[in-house]
Amino acid sequence: MTSSDGSTPAPPQHSATRLVTAGRDTKAQKGFVNPPVFHGSTVLYPTAEDLHAHRAEFTYGRHGTPTTRALQDVLMALEGPQCAGVGLAPSGLSAISTTLLAVLKAGDHLLVCDNAYRPTRNFCEGMLKRLGIETSYFDPMIGGGIAALFKPNTRAVLVEAPGSQSFEMPDLRAIADVAHAHSALVIDDNTWATPLYHRSLEQGVDISMQAGTKYIGGHSDIMFGTISANAKAWPLVTEAIRLLGVCAGPDDVYLALRGVRTLSVRLAQHHRSGLDIARWLAGRPEVARVLHPALETDPGHAIWKRDFTGASGLFSIVLKPVPQKAVDTMLNTLKLFGMGFSWGGFESLAIPFDCSEYRTATKWAPGGPTLRLHIGLENVDDLKADLDRGFAALQAAV
Ligand SMILES: *Cc1c(COP(=O)(O)O)cnc(C)c1O
Protein backbone atom coordinates (compact mmCIF):
# COMPACT_ATOMS: atom_id res chain seq x y z
CA MET A 1 0.00 0.00 0.00
CA THR A 2 1.30 3.52 -0.76
CA SER A 3 0.01 6.83 0.56
CA SER A 4 -1.02 9.76 -1.67
CA ASP A 5 2.51 11.19 -1.79
CA GLY A 6 3.82 7.87 -3.09
CA SER A 7 5.80 6.95 0.04
CA THR A 8 5.21 3.73 1.93
CA PRO A 9 3.49 4.47 5.25
CA ALA A 10 5.20 3.33 8.45
CA PRO A 11 3.74 0.08 9.79
CA PRO A 12 1.23 0.55 12.62
CA GLN A 13 2.99 0.39 15.99
CA HIS A 14 0.25 0.06 18.57
CA SER A 15 -0.91 -3.35 19.74
CA ALA A 16 -4.58 -2.45 19.28
CA THR A 17 -3.91 -1.77 15.60
CA ARG A 18 -1.81 -4.90 15.12
CA LEU A 19 -4.61 -6.99 16.63
CA VAL A 20 -6.89 -5.74 13.87
CA THR A 21 -4.51 -5.70 10.89
CA ALA A 22 -2.16 -8.66 11.37
CA GLY A 23 -2.77 -11.96 9.60
CA ARG A 24 -5.18 -10.55 7.04
CA ASP A 25 -5.03 -11.64 3.39
CA THR A 26 -8.17 -10.28 1.78
CA LYS A 27 -7.14 -11.26 -1.75
CA ALA A 28 -6.70 -14.92 -0.81
CA GLN A 29 -10.29 -14.87 0.50
CA LYS A 30 -11.88 -13.36 -2.61
CA GLY A 31 -12.41 -10.08 -0.79
CA PHE A 32 -13.90 -11.36 2.43
CA VAL A 33 -12.40 -9.93 5.61
CA ASN A 34 -12.01 -13.25 7.43
CA PRO A 35 -10.60 -16.59 6.29
CA PRO A 36 -13.05 -19.50 6.30
CA VAL A 37 -12.95 -22.43 8.74
CA PHE A 38 -10.81 -25.08 7.04
CA HIS A 39 -12.04 -28.52 7.99
CA GLY A 40 -9.15 -30.35 6.41
CA SER A 41 -6.74 -33.20 6.75
CA THR A 42 -5.66 -34.06 3.19
CA VAL A 43 -3.99 -31.52 0.92
CA LEU A 44 -3.75 -32.59 -2.73
CA TYR A 45 -0.46 -32.09 -4.59
CA PRO A 46 -0.66 -31.33 -8.31
CA THR A 47 2.29 -33.52 -9.41
CA ALA A 48 4.30 -36.50 -8.15
CA GLU A 49 7.36 -34.24 -8.06
CA ASP A 50 5.57 -31.80 -5.75
CA LEU A 51 4.45 -34.70 -3.56
CA HIS A 52 8.01 -36.07 -3.26
CA ALA A 53 9.33 -32.63 -2.33
CA HIS A 54 6.38 -31.79 0.00
CA ARG A 55 6.15 -28.69 -2.18
CA ALA A 56 2.96 -26.85 -1.20
CA GLU A 57 1.95 -23.82 0.81
CA PHE A 58 0.08 -26.15 3.15
CA THR A 59 1.04 -29.82 3.41
CA TYR A 60 -1.31 -31.54 5.88
CA GLY A 61 -4.14 -30.48 8.19
CA ARG A 62 -2.16 -31.10 11.37
CA HIS A 63 0.60 -28.79 10.18
CA GLY A 64 -1.62 -25.78 9.59
CA THR A 65 -4.26 -24.12 7.45
CA PRO A 66 -4.77 -20.54 6.24
CA THR A 67 -6.82 -19.92 9.42
CA THR A 68 -4.15 -21.21 11.79
CA ARG A 69 -1.56 -19.13 9.93
CA ALA A 70 -3.70 -15.98 10.23
CA LEU A 71 -4.05 -16.56 13.98
CA GLN A 72 -0.34 -17.27 14.40
CA ASP A 73 0.46 -14.03 12.54
CA VAL A 74 -1.78 -12.00 14.89
CA LEU A 75 -0.28 -13.60 17.99
CA MET A 76 3.26 -13.04 16.72
CA ALA A 77 2.51 -9.39 16.03
CA LEU A 78 1.07 -9.11 19.54
CA GLU A 79 4.09 -10.73 21.25
CA GLY A 80 6.56 -8.36 19.59
CA PRO A 81 9.87 -8.69 17.74
CA GLN A 82 11.41 -11.28 20.14
CA CYS A 83 8.81 -13.84 19.08
CA ALA A 84 10.21 -16.40 16.64
CA GLY A 85 7.07 -18.53 16.38
CA VAL A 86 3.70 -19.36 17.92
CA GLY A 87 2.38 -22.90 18.35
CA LEU A 88 -1.35 -23.63 18.74
CA ALA A 89 -2.59 -26.29 21.14
CA PRO A 90 -6.00 -27.85 21.86
CA SER A 91 -6.08 -26.46 25.44
CA GLY A 92 -4.06 -24.29 27.79
CA LEU A 93 -2.94 -27.34 29.74
CA SER A 94 -1.78 -28.99 26.54
CA ALA A 95 0.26 -25.84 25.78
CA ILE A 96 1.94 -26.28 29.19
CA SER A 97 2.58 -30.02 28.85
CA THR A 98 3.87 -29.62 25.28
CA THR A 99 6.21 -26.83 26.42
CA LEU A 100 7.60 -28.87 29.31
CA LEU A 101 8.10 -31.95 27.13
CA ALA A 102 9.81 -29.72 24.55
CA VAL A 103 12.50 -28.45 26.91
CA LEU A 104 13.05 -31.30 29.41
CA LYS A 105 14.58 -34.77 29.26
CA ALA A 106 15.21 -37.63 31.71
CA GLY A 107 17.56 -36.55 34.49
CA ASP A 108 16.63 -32.86 34.28
CA HIS A 109 15.42 -30.68 37.15
CA LEU A 110 12.56 -28.17 36.82
CA LEU A 111 11.72 -25.24 39.12
CA VAL A 112 8.02 -24.29 39.35
CA CYS A 113 6.44 -21.34 41.10
CA ASP A 114 4.39 -22.45 44.13
CA ASN A 115 1.39 -20.41 42.90
CA ALA A 116 1.26 -22.20 39.52
CA TYR A 117 -1.98 -23.55 38.05
CA ARG A 118 -2.73 -26.78 39.86
CA PRO A 119 -3.01 -29.04 36.77
CA THR A 120 0.53 -27.83 35.86
CA ARG A 121 1.73 -29.32 39.14
CA ASN A 122 -0.26 -32.49 38.45
CA PHE A 123 1.57 -32.87 35.12
CA CYS A 124 4.94 -32.41 36.87
CA GLU A 125 4.10 -34.86 39.66
CA GLY A 126 2.46 -37.33 37.28
CA MET A 127 4.04 -37.59 33.88
CA LEU A 128 7.32 -35.70 34.37
CA LYS A 129 8.19 -37.69 37.49
CA ARG A 130 7.46 -40.91 35.59
CA LEU A 131 9.84 -39.76 32.83
CA GLY A 132 12.64 -39.20 35.36
CA ILE A 133 12.31 -35.41 35.59
CA GLU A 134 12.38 -33.89 39.07
CA THR A 135 10.34 -30.78 39.97
CA SER A 136 10.84 -28.53 42.96
CA TYR A 137 8.66 -25.56 43.90
CA PHE A 138 9.66 -22.07 44.94
CA ASP A 139 8.12 -19.11 46.76
CA PRO A 140 6.67 -16.78 44.07
CA MET A 141 8.21 -13.81 45.94
CA ILE A 142 11.71 -15.33 45.91
CA GLY A 143 13.16 -12.95 43.28
CA GLY A 144 16.91 -13.33 42.77
CA GLY A 145 17.02 -15.65 45.81
CA ILE A 146 16.03 -18.42 43.41
CA ALA A 147 19.77 -18.82 42.72
CA ALA A 148 20.05 -21.00 45.83
CA LEU A 149 17.60 -23.53 44.35
CA PHE A 150 19.51 -24.20 41.15
CA LYS A 151 21.15 -27.58 40.68
CA PRO A 152 23.65 -28.51 37.99
CA ASN A 153 20.80 -30.20 36.07
CA THR A 154 18.19 -27.40 36.39
CA ARG A 155 17.01 -26.94 32.84
CA ALA A 156 13.92 -24.73 33.13
CA VAL A 157 11.93 -22.42 35.43
CA LEU A 158 8.16 -22.09 35.12
CA VAL A 159 6.57 -18.92 36.45
CA GLU A 160 2.97 -17.72 36.56
CA ALA A 161 2.71 -13.94 36.84
CA PRO A 162 0.53 -13.43 38.76
CA GLY A 163 -0.79 -16.77 40.10
CA SER A 164 -4.39 -17.17 38.99
CA GLN A 165 -5.81 -17.82 42.48
CA SER A 166 -3.54 -16.10 45.00
CA PHE A 167 -2.15 -13.30 42.76
CA GLU A 168 1.39 -13.05 44.13
CA MET A 169 3.48 -11.28 41.52
CA PRO A 170 6.88 -12.90 40.91
CA ASP A 171 9.82 -10.73 39.84
CA LEU A 172 10.19 -12.34 36.43
CA ARG A 173 13.16 -10.21 35.38
CA ALA A 174 15.20 -11.14 38.47
CA ILE A 175 14.28 -14.82 38.07
CA ALA A 176 15.13 -14.75 34.35
CA ASP A 177 18.56 -13.20 35.02
CA VAL A 178 19.46 -16.01 37.42
CA ALA A 179 18.00 -18.71 35.14
CA HIS A 180 19.96 -17.50 32.14
CA ALA A 181 23.17 -17.34 34.17
CA HIS A 182 22.55 -21.09 34.80
CA SER A 183 21.68 -21.75 31.11
CA ALA A 184 18.08 -22.59 32.05
CA LEU A 185 15.04 -21.57 30.01
CA VAL A 186 12.25 -19.42 31.49
CA ILE A 187 8.61 -20.34 30.82
CA ASP A 188 5.81 -17.91 31.71
CA ASP A 189 2.12 -18.78 31.97
CA ASN A 190 0.89 -15.42 30.65
CA THR A 191 -2.84 -16.24 30.66
CA TRP A 192 -3.86 -13.53 33.14
CA ALA A 193 -2.52 -10.45 31.36
CA THR A 194 -2.11 -11.82 27.81
CA PRO A 195 0.75 -10.39 25.69
CA LEU A 196 -1.40 -7.27 25.25
CA TYR A 197 -0.66 -6.21 28.84
CA HIS A 198 2.47 -8.24 29.51
CA ARG A 199 5.09 -8.65 26.80
CA SER A 200 6.96 -11.28 28.72
CA LEU A 201 9.26 -12.27 25.82
CA GLU A 202 10.70 -8.74 26.07
CA GLN A 203 11.40 -9.28 29.77
CA GLY A 204 13.67 -12.30 29.64
CA VAL A 205 11.06 -15.03 29.18
CA ASP A 206 11.96 -17.66 26.56
CA ILE A 207 8.57 -19.33 26.19
CA SER A 208 5.30 -17.54 26.95
CA MET A 209 2.17 -19.67 26.94
CA GLN A 210 -1.48 -18.84 27.38
CA ALA A 211 -4.73 -20.65 27.93
CA GLY A 212 -6.41 -19.14 24.86
CA THR A 213 -9.57 -20.61 26.39
CA LYS A 214 -9.66 -17.45 28.53
CA TYR A 215 -9.20 -13.94 27.07
CA ILE A 216 -8.12 -14.85 23.53
CA GLY A 217 -11.38 -16.71 22.93
CA GLY A 218 -13.15 -14.34 25.30
CA HIS A 219 -16.60 -15.93 25.06
CA SER A 220 -16.36 -19.13 27.16
CA ASP A 221 -16.98 -21.25 24.08
CA ILE A 222 -13.61 -22.79 23.15
CA MET A 223 -10.71 -24.82 24.54
CA PHE A 224 -7.44 -23.54 23.16
CA GLY A 225 -3.77 -22.85 24.00
CA THR A 226 -0.85 -20.88 22.59
CA ILE A 227 2.93 -21.31 22.91
CA SER A 228 5.08 -18.33 21.87
CA ALA A 229 8.86 -18.69 21.90
CA ASN A 230 11.97 -16.64 21.20
CA ALA A 231 14.61 -17.71 18.68
CA LYS A 232 16.49 -19.74 21.30
CA ALA A 233 13.47 -21.86 22.34
CA TRP A 234 11.34 -22.00 19.19
CA PRO A 235 13.22 -24.92 17.55
CA LEU A 236 12.50 -27.06 20.65
CA VAL A 237 8.83 -26.03 20.75
CA THR A 238 8.17 -26.59 17.08
CA GLU A 239 9.90 -29.99 17.19
CA ALA A 240 7.76 -31.09 20.16
CA ILE A 241 4.58 -29.92 18.43
CA ARG A 242 5.48 -32.00 15.36
CA LEU A 243 6.54 -35.10 17.29
CA LEU A 244 3.55 -35.06 19.64
CA GLY A 245 1.03 -34.25 16.91
CA VAL A 246 -0.32 -31.23 18.76
CA CYS A 247 -2.87 -29.18 16.81
CA ALA A 248 -6.06 -27.27 17.60
CA GLY A 249 -9.49 -27.94 16.10
CA PRO A 250 -10.55 -25.77 13.14
CA ASP A 251 -13.66 -24.27 14.75
CA ASP A 252 -11.76 -23.33 17.91
CA VAL A 253 -8.97 -21.80 15.81
CA TYR A 254 -11.54 -19.73 13.91
CA LEU A 255 -13.19 -18.57 17.15
CA ALA A 256 -9.79 -17.71 18.67
CA LEU A 257 -9.00 -15.57 15.61
CA ARG A 258 -12.39 -13.90 15.86
CA GLY A 259 -11.89 -13.36 19.62
CA VAL A 260 -8.40 -11.89 19.38
CA ARG A 261 -9.60 -9.12 17.03
CA THR A 262 -11.56 -7.55 19.91
CA LEU A 263 -9.08 -8.34 22.70
CA SER A 264 -8.04 -4.72 23.26
CA VAL A 265 -11.55 -3.38 23.89
CA ARG A 266 -12.61 -6.35 26.00
CA LEU A 267 -9.48 -6.34 28.13
CA ALA A 268 -9.66 -2.56 28.66
CA GLN A 269 -13.17 -2.98 30.04
CA HIS A 270 -12.20 -5.99 32.20
CA HIS A 271 -9.30 -3.87 33.55
CA ARG A 272 -11.53 -0.85 34.33
CA SER A 273 -14.44 -2.75 35.84
CA GLY A 274 -12.15 -5.16 37.70
CA LEU A 275 -10.23 -2.36 39.42
CA ASP A 276 -13.40 -0.42 40.16
CA ILE A 277 -14.94 -3.44 41.90
CA ALA A 278 -11.64 -4.38 43.61
CA ARG A 279 -11.48 -0.87 45.15
CA TRP A 280 -15.13 -1.05 46.17
CA LEU A 281 -14.57 -4.46 47.77
CA ALA A 282 -11.50 -3.15 49.66
CA GLY A 283 -13.87 -0.74 51.46
CA ARG A 284 -16.43 -3.40 52.42
CA PRO A 285 -16.61 -4.37 56.12
CA GLU A 286 -16.88 -8.10 55.20
CA VAL A 287 -13.59 -8.09 53.26
CA ALA A 288 -10.20 -8.45 54.99
CA ARG A 289 -8.01 -8.13 51.90
CA VAL A 290 -8.23 -7.81 48.12
CA LEU A 291 -5.57 -9.71 46.13
CA HIS A 292 -5.12 -7.61 42.98
CA PRO A 293 -1.65 -6.50 41.83
CA ALA A 294 -2.97 -3.30 40.22
CA LEU A 295 -4.11 -2.00 43.63
CA GLU A 296 -1.53 0.41 45.11
CA THR A 297 -1.67 -1.45 48.44
CA ASP A 298 -0.88 -4.87 46.91
CA PRO A 299 2.59 -6.33 47.69
CA GLY A 300 3.04 -7.05 43.95
CA HIS A 301 2.07 -3.56 42.80
CA ALA A 302 5.59 -2.22 42.09
CA ILE A 303 6.40 -5.21 39.87
CA TRP A 304 3.01 -5.02 38.13
CA LYS A 305 3.64 -1.34 37.42
CA ARG A 306 7.12 -2.03 36.09
CA ASP A 307 6.28 -5.03 33.87
CA PHE A 308 2.59 -4.76 32.92
CA THR A 309 0.58 -2.17 31.01
CA GLY A 310 -2.80 -3.31 32.29
CA ALA A 311 -4.72 -5.78 34.42
CA SER A 312 -7.41 -8.24 33.48
CA GLY A 313 -10.69 -8.88 35.29
CA LEU A 314 -9.57 -11.72 37.56
CA PHE A 315 -8.65 -11.26 41.24
CA SER A 316 -9.41 -12.70 44.66
CA ILE A 317 -10.68 -11.53 48.03
CA VAL A 318 -10.08 -12.75 51.56
CA LEU A 319 -13.20 -12.48 53.70
CA LYS A 320 -13.12 -11.82 57.42
CA PRO A 321 -13.58 -15.17 59.21
CA VAL A 322 -17.11 -16.57 58.72
CA PRO A 323 -18.33 -20.17 58.43
CA GLN A 324 -18.09 -21.65 54.90
CA LYS A 325 -21.87 -22.11 55.08
CA ALA A 326 -22.31 -18.31 55.13
CA VAL A 327 -19.99 -17.96 52.11
CA ASP A 328 -22.00 -20.63 50.29
CA THR A 329 -25.20 -18.71 51.07
CA MET A 330 -23.62 -15.62 49.51
CA LEU A 331 -22.62 -17.60 46.40
CA ASN A 332 -26.12 -19.07 46.11
CA THR A 333 -27.63 -15.57 46.34
CA LEU A 334 -25.53 -13.98 43.57
CA LYS A 335 -27.37 -13.75 40.26
CA LEU A 336 -24.87 -12.07 37.92
CA PHE A 337 -21.83 -13.93 39.27
CA GLY A 338 -22.07 -17.53 38.10
CA MET A 339 -20.26 -20.37 39.87
CA GLY A 340 -17.92 -22.11 37.50
CA PHE A 341 -14.29 -22.76 36.63
CA SER A 342 -12.31 -21.06 33.91
CA TRP A 343 -12.61 -17.29 33.27
CA GLY A 344 -11.84 -14.70 30.60
CA GLY A 345 -15.30 -14.78 29.03
CA PHE A 346 -17.80 -11.92 28.90
CA GLU A 347 -19.54 -13.05 32.09
CA SER A 348 -18.78 -12.59 35.77
CA LEU A 349 -17.88 -15.57 37.95
CA ALA A 350 -17.26 -16.27 41.63
CA ILE A 351 -15.71 -19.41 43.12
CA PRO A 352 -14.27 -20.36 46.51
CA PHE A 353 -10.71 -21.75 46.48
CA ASP A 354 -8.09 -23.06 48.91
CA CYS A 355 -4.41 -23.13 47.88
CA SER A 356 -3.36 -24.82 51.14
CA GLU A 357 -4.40 -28.18 49.63
CA TYR A 358 -1.46 -28.28 47.24
CA ARG A 359 1.24 -25.76 48.14
CA THR A 360 4.59 -27.14 49.22
CA ALA A 361 7.15 -24.28 49.21
CA THR A 362 4.96 -21.72 50.98
CA LYS A 363 2.17 -21.83 53.52
CA TRP A 364 -1.20 -20.50 52.41
CA ALA A 365 -2.97 -19.09 55.46
CA PRO A 366 -4.93 -16.01 54.37
CA GLY A 367 -6.87 -15.76 57.64
CA GLY A 368 -10.38 -16.18 56.24
CA PRO A 369 -12.39 -17.77 53.44
CA THR A 370 -11.22 -16.86 49.95
CA LEU A 371 -13.20 -16.17 46.78
CA ARG A 372 -11.93 -15.67 43.26
CA LEU A 373 -13.92 -13.24 41.13
CA HIS A 374 -13.93 -12.74 37.40
CA ILE A 375 -15.37 -9.35 36.50
CA GLY A 376 -17.15 -9.66 33.18
CA LEU A 377 -18.58 -7.06 30.84
CA GLU A 378 -21.81 -6.37 32.75
CA ASN A 379 -22.46 -2.85 34.09
CA VAL A 380 -20.38 -2.34 37.28
CA ASP A 381 -23.25 -0.83 39.26
CA ASP A 382 -25.34 -3.91 38.55
CA LEU A 383 -22.42 -6.10 39.66
CA LYS A 384 -22.00 -4.10 42.88
CA ALA A 385 -25.74 -4.37 43.57
CA ASP A 386 -25.48 -8.14 43.09
CA LEU A 387 -22.51 -8.34 45.51
CA ASP A 388 -24.41 -6.11 47.96
CA ARG A 389 -27.27 -8.63 48.03
CA GLY A 390 -24.72 -11.43 48.40
CA PHE A 391 -23.05 -9.73 51.40
CA ALA A 392 -26.46 -9.12 53.02
CA ALA A 393 -27.22 -12.85 52.68
CA LEU A 394 -23.76 -13.70 54.09
CA GLN A 395 -24.31 -11.46 57.12
CA ALA A 396 -27.76 -12.97 57.71
CA ALA A 397 -26.29 -16.50 57.58
CA VAL A 398 -23.49 -15.89 60.12
C1 LIG B 1 -7.22 -22.18 32.60
C2 LIG B 1 -5.78 -22.08 32.79
C3 LIG B 1 -4.91 -22.98 32.20
C4 LIG B 1 -5.39 -24.18 31.42
O1 LIG B 1 -6.16 -23.86 30.32
P1 LIG B 1 -7.22 -24.91 29.71
O2 LIG B 1 -7.54 -24.33 28.40
O3 LIG B 1 -8.37 -24.95 30.67
O4 LIG B 1 -6.52 -26.23 29.62
C5 LIG B 1 -3.57 -22.77 32.37
N1 LIG B 1 -3.08 -21.76 33.10
C6 LIG B 1 -3.89 -20.88 33.70
C7 LIG B 1 -3.31 -19.78 34.50
C8 LIG B 1 -5.26 -21.02 33.58
O5 LIG B 1 -6.06 -20.16 34.21
Side-chain angles (χ1 to χ4, degrees):
M1 201 208 291
T2 50
S3 56
S4 52
D5 64 2
S7 67
T8 306
Q13 293 301 314
H14 294 94
S15 302
T17 306
R18 285 198 298 265
L19 279 172
V20 170
T21 57
R24 287 183 38 196
D25 187 359
T26 309
K27 252 212 215 114
Q29 293 138 210
K30 303 187 188 299
F32 284 96
V33 172
N34 291 300
V37 181
F38 283 85
H39 283 278
S41 51
T42 302
V43 177
L44 299 177
Y45 294 78
T47 67
E49 291 72 25
D50 288 326
L51 182 76
H52 284 306
H54 292 271
R55 194 159 47 223
E57 191 179 1
F58 296 95
T59 54
Y60 186 54
R62 197 172 64 225
H63 299 152
T65 69
T67 323
T68 60
R69 181 172 296 172
L71 179 56
Q72 285 164 318
D73 286 349
V74 183
L75 294 170
M76 272 192 75
L78 185 60
E79 293 279 6
Q82 278 78 11
C83 186
V86 178
L88 309 181
S91 69
L93 183 56
S94 139
I96 293 169
S97 57
T98 301
T99 298
L100 292 172
L101 290 173
V103 305
L104 297 166
K105 62 179 188 314
D108 282 348
H109 173 238
L110 168 71
L111 283 165
V112 172
C113 216
D114 211 25
N115 61 358
Y117 183 61
R118 191 175 186 177
T120 300
R121 298 176 74 112
N122 295 343
F123 181 75
C124 297
E125 296 311 307
M127 189 155 292
L128 291 187
K129 187 175 271 180
R130 183 142 57 78
L131 296 175
I133 296 155
E134 183 203 359
T135 304
S136 39
Y137 299 88
F138 62 90
D139 181 342
M141 305 308 271
I142 199 166
I146 197 169
L149 304 182
F150 273 78
K151 303 182 182 192
N153 59 338
T154 305
R155 175 83 182 114
V157 181
L158 188 148
V159 178
E160 203 173 303
S164 66
Q165 287 189 322
S166 48
F167 296 93
E168 297 102 330
M169 182 61 92
D171 186 342
L172 246 174
R173 292 173 192 256
I175 291 170
D177 283 348
V178 173
H180 292 152
H182 289 81
S183 305
L185 291 169
V186 179
I187 303 161
D188 176 33
D189 184 334
N190 200 21
T191 302
W192 182 76
T194 84
L196 184 65
Y197 287 165
H198 184 217
R199 308 244 290 194
S200 57
L201 294 177
E202 288 177 3
Q203 296 171 10
V205 166
D206 299 293
I207 304 174
S208 168
M209 54 70 44
Q210 290 178 77
T213 307
K214 313 287 166 57
Y215 287 117
I216 299 293
H219 295 75
S220 306
D221 54 0
I222 61 170
M223 298 303 300
F224 182 63
T226 72
I227 313 169
S228 307
N230 63 15
K232 182 167 45 152
W234 178 243
L236 296 171
V237 170
T238 192
E239 182 194 41
I241 285 172
R242 277 211 169 231
L243 294 178
L244 292 167
V246 171
C247 63
D251 291 301
D252 286 351
V253 166
Y254 180 84
L255 290 171
L257 178 62
R258 177 177 151 126
V260 83
R261 296 294 186 201
T262 59
L263 182 67
S264 68
V265 282
R266 286 187 288 106
L267 222 47
Q269 189 60 50
H270 287 295
H271 169 115
R272 253 195 314 276
S273 300
L275 254 181
D276 183 334
I277 291 185
R279 291 208 166 94
W280 179 82
L281 284 165
R284 291 286 314 196
E286 302 87 351
V287 175
R289 209 147 56 89
V290 180
L291 313 177
H292 190 316
L295 286 182
E296 293 75 7
T297 50
D298 192 271
H301 184 69
I303 289 172
W304 175 79
K305 220 170 146 180
R306 185 192 69 187
D307 294 347
F308 291 66
T309 55
S312 63
L314 191 78
F315 62 91
S316 294
I317 56 173
V318 181
L319 295 169
K320 290 183 184 159
V322 285
Q324 186 59 43
K325 169 182 74 68
V327 181
D328 290 348
T329 303
M330 174 178 181
L331 290 170
N332 287 334
T333 304
L334 296 173
K335 290 254 181 317
L336 293 177
F337 286 84
M339 277 177 277
F341 298 101
S342 198
W343 43 277
F346 49 80
E347 82 286 17
S348 289
L349 299 167
I351 52 162
F353 68 94
D354 182 5
C355 307
S356 64
E357 291 166 4
Y358 58 86
R359 288 214 176 194
T360 51
T362 50
K363 196 168 153 55
W364 174 252
T370 43
L371 289 179
R372 186 180 75 180
L373 302 176
H374 180 250
I375 306 304
L377 302 177
E378 304 90 342
N379 174 282
V380 284
D381 294 329
D382 291 343
L383 291 174
K384 287 175 191 168
D386 199 35
L387 290 167
D388 241 337
R389 290 177 45 259
F391 282 126
L394 177 140
Q395 296 282 21
V398 170

